[in-house]
Amino acid sequence: MKKIIKLSLFAIVILFGLSSCKKNNLVVDKSPIVAPPEAAEFLLTSFTKNYFVPSSGAAFNIPVGVTNVSSADRTIQFAYTSSTGAINGTHYNGPASITIKAGQATGTLSIAGVFSFYGAGRIDSLKVKITNGSIGAFKGKDSVVLVMQKYCDVVLADLTGDYTNTNEYTSAGVFSYGPYTTALANVVSTGTYTATADIQNIYDDGWNDIPCTLDWSDPANFKVNIALAATGKAYGGATATSVRTSSTKASTFSACDRSVTIYIDLVNATTGVATTSGYKVVLK
């Protein structure tokens, strides 16, 4: 009986030992840990950006990042191409590379447009691409396109006064009448990027002064708006005619060449129906 008990105890010890060995028999993967390849990218949410080149020469700053932090400085290189003919060193100044300092993961690429080379109407498309060989770049985040054009600060005093070369065009763009003199008078600031003014002698037919608003909060879209206003005249059988800016075409102004382009509707003041739509008046 004792022998049986001893054998049973021995069997339990063996089973327990086997169980213990199995539970602790872990498979260790001794393969070396491979770090992902280092890569650079532009840290942007949109890879097409408007750059309005100011007279101050202020640069356009683009954040650049790498995927890790290093104990050594790293150089990020760039290539520039322009389908519109913008030349580095002439129309803009862009460095061939930047350095991301040791211990940091981000840097800044600064591109400065040359204000004097951007005449009225010139718009350039500039593609900037990360070209590092040793540090790769994330596909889709390795390039950015800058749309570059001139930006002139709005100085209300410069907009005020006579526009001696005002001309009119039909809605189809055919020359209709001019030149003659109009004026912007009583130009008053109503905010950082807004103002009111009175347009004098628009249409060259003895109209009332026509109030308008100017809005340059969007650098790409300087706006002029005329709410429905009485002209003091009557056309097309109406007892009175009003004027407003047309909703079909945007009326704009330029601080660079001191011009105002307005698309107007002539409206029967009694019925509210437009008798003429999209008539173009250019004040210069």
Side-chain angles (χ1 to χ4, degrees):
M1 184 68 179
K2 288 181 180 180
K3 188 175 181 180
I4 294 173
I5 293 173
K6 286 180 181 179
L7 288 173
S8 298
L9 288 172
F10 179 75
I12 291 171
V13 170
I14 293 297
L15 289 172
F16 180 78
L18 290 174
S19 176
S20 298
C21 290
K22 187 175 182 181
K23 287 179 72 174
N24 292 288
N25 187 24
L26 301 178
V27 178
V28 179
D29 185 356
K30 295 184 179 180
S31 301
I33 297 173
V34 179
E38 188 177 33
E41 62 181 331
F42 289 117
L43 302 175
L44 299 171
T45 55
S46 171
F47 293 91
T48 299
K49 294 290 186 179
N50 289 316
Y51 174 25
F52 295 91
V53 181
S55 57
S56 65
F60 190 94
N61 294 321
I62 307 172
V64 183
V66 289
T67 50
N68 61 1
V69 174
S70 172
S71 59
D73 291 353
R74 286 163 294 177
T75 300
I76 310 298
Q77 298 171 340
F78 307 97
Y80 302 87
T81 56
S82 173
S83 59
T84 55
I87 301 171
N88 200 350
T90 301
H91 299 94
Y92 67 94
N93 292 298
S97 64
I98 64 169
T99 299
I100 295 182
K101 296 293 185 181
Q104 298 182 5
T106 60
T108 301
L109 170 64
S110 296
I111 299 171
V114 180
F115 182 81
S116 60
F117 280 95
Y118 280 88
R122 181 182 178 101
I123 300 176
D124 276 324
S125 177
L126 176 65
K127 183 177 182 179
V128 188
K129 184 179 178 65
I130 298 172
T131 59
N132 278 43
S134 57
I135 301 178
F138 282 115
K139 187 175 181 181
K141 296 183 179 181
D142 61 346
S143 300
V144 61
V145 175
L146 295 185
V147 180
M148 304 171 61
Q149 57 187 297
K150 189 174 188 176
Y151 180 85
C152 298
D153 292 325
V154 175
V155 179
L156 296 182
D158 292 344
L159 295 177
T160 303
D162 290 342
Y163 291 72
T164 58
N165 189 27
T166 297
N167 290 281
E168 300 176 0
Y169 304 83
T170 68
S171 58
V174 178
F175 175 78
S176 178
Y177 178 77
Y180 63 94
T181 298
T182 54
L184 278 188
N186 305 317
V187 182
V188 177
S189 173
T190 55
T192 306
Y193 301 107
T194 57
T196 58
D198 293 329
I199 307 175
Q200 297 179 337
N201 197 44
I202 187 172
Y203 210 65
D204 198 28
D205 195 31
W207 283 14
N208 299 332
D209 291 355
I210 303 300
C212 71
T213 59
L214 307 175
D215 183 335
W216 59 100
S217 55
D218 179 356
N221 185 24
F222 284 19
K223 295 182 288 188
V224 180
N225 184 66
I226 299 172
L228 197 64
T231 65
K233 292 287 186 174
Y235 304 99
T239 56
T241 297
S242 298
V243 64
R244 68 189 178 202
T245 40
S246 178
S247 61
T248 58
K249 293 183 179 180
S251 296
T252 64
F253 72 98
S254 170
C256 291
D257 61 7
R258 194 175 179 266
S259 66
V260 183
T261 301
I262 304 174
Y263 294 90
I264 59 173
D265 296 341
L266 301 184
V267 179
N268 184 314
T270 302
T271 64
V273 176
T275 56
T276 299
S277 298
Y279 192 71
K280 182 180 179 182
V281 184
V282 179
L283 289 65
K284 284 190 175 180

